[in-house]
Amino acid sequence: GPHLGPSLAHLSLCPPQGYANEVGEAFRSLVPAAVVWLSYAVSSSYVLADAIDKGKKARDVPGPEAGRSSRVTVAVVDTFVWQALASVAIPGFTINRVCAASLYILSSATRWPLAVRKWTTTALGLLAIPVIIHPIDRSVDFLLDSSLRKLYPSVEKPSSS
């Protein structure tokens, strides 16, 4: 699901469209693949819209004209990369693996009918979403703080002389 990195105001209330791909992954065993891919399209369009929105907000911040374009670029790139990892790629992969493992274990360990195993897998996938969000967010913060964010130009401070 979408969240804003720590350098951007962290929202605790997240738009549901950002969780679409996690929900899609949880339902993968029950729905056609096209539905899962559609859920990724919804989440990805949210990520793109959020990055553009952060760019517009950075552009409108009062400040020296000189640093404006780099400020906008950093806002768009940071938001896009953070959201793509923390809202789409990593949670989607995680829920996919949780569900695959659940289905495998249920198939090996139970004699439940396939429909029951699939619904149980979906339920476990949905229940995992709130559990994984915070650790993934923090991990992506750490990853970007120790890589991409070191590359951003430091904002020029007006000289006091």
Side-chain angles (χ1 to χ4, degrees), residues 15-28:
Q17 61 272 28
Y19 294 110
N21 66 300
E22 290 98 314
V23 173
E25 283 294 354
F27 278 92
R28 186 182 280 274

Side-chain angles (χ1 to χ4, degrees), residues 39-59:
S39 75
Y40 275 88
V42 170
S43 288
S44 299
S45 60
Y46 168 77
V47 168
L48 192 58
D50 191 41
I52 292 166
D53 178 61
K54 294 300 172 299
K56 288 178 178 169
K57 286 180 174 150
R59 180 195 65 202

Side-chain angles (χ1 to χ4, degrees), residues 80-97:
F80 184 82
V81 172
W82 197 95
Q83 292 279 27
L85 290 170
S87 303
V88 182
I90 299 172
F93 176 78
T94 305
I95 298 299
N96 176 288
R97 295 297 84 202

